[in-house]
Amino acid sequence: MTQSAAQASAFYIDVAKNKKVWTIRDLGGFPAPMTPEGKRSQPFWSTYNRVIRIITTVPAYTGFEPFEISWDDFSNNWLPGLDKDGLLVGLNWSGNRAIGFDIKPIRVKENIETLILMNSK
C-alpha cells in the first residue's frame, strides 16, 4: 500500500469513528490548490494532530488555523458544495509537500457512510 493509500484509509476509518473532519483556513479563506492533473482540491484531515502537523511543517500552510467540521455538516453541506464547485477532496495530505489522494466528494461520502454502517452492526 502506498503512503497516499494508507493516509486515505486512515482518513475513512478515523472519520467514520470520530464523526468529524478538519481543514485549514486563514484570512483569505480555505485553500484549494491545483493538483498535478489541473483540478482544484481542498485538503481535509481526519484528526486534529494531522492538521497541526501540516500547519507546523509545511511552509505553504504557515499561518493557517485548524477548522473542525462535524460529519453531518461535512456530509450534508460541504461535500455537495465541493461537488457543485468542481473541487476534489484531499485526504490526509502528508509529508513536507502536503500531498496525497484527491477524490471526488461523492466517493468520500460513500466510503465513509459504508464504514459507519459496518461499524454500527
Side-chain angles (χ1 to χ4, degrees):
M1 180 180 295
T2 67
Q3 179 68 19
S4 293
Q7 295 295 350
S9 179
F11 181 90
Y12 295 134
I13 292 167
D14 290 343
V15 174
K17 178 183 174 188
N18 300 318
K19 309 269 191 323
K20 64 176 111 176
V21 300
W22 295 86
T23 190
I24 55 177
R25 70 176 176 185
D26 66 4
L27 294 177
F30 300 96
M34 194 73 69
T35 68
E37 294 78 27
K39 297 201 169 221
R40 294 214 171 267
S41 183
Q42 184 171 344
F44 294 91
W45 292 270
S46 59
T47 67
Y48 178 78
N49 287 340
R50 289 178 186 276
V51 76
I52 290 298
R53 189 174 315 122
I54 290 300
I55 290 170
T56 59
T57 62
V58 178
Y61 296 121
T62 300
F64 281 80
E65 62 183 36
F67 186 83
E68 180 181 349
I69 307 163
S70 72
W71 168 245
D72 286 339
D73 189 22
F74 189 65
S75 175
N76 296 319
N77 299 309
W78 283 75
L79 291 174
L82 292 165
D83 187 55
K84 181 180 171 225
D85 293 341
L87 296 173
L88 298 173
V89 176
L91 304 178
N92 275 350
W93 287 355
S94 63
N96 59 2
R97 293 181 23 236
I99 58 172
F101 280 155
D102 301 296
I103 309 292
K104 289 186 177 188
I106 189 67
R107 299 292 305 149
V108 172
K109 185 172 182 166
E110 290 169 351
N111 292 339
I112 294 172
E113 286 179 345
T114 298
L115 281 176
I116 290 171
L117 281 173
M118 288 174 53
N119 291 338
S120 69
K121 292 182 180 184

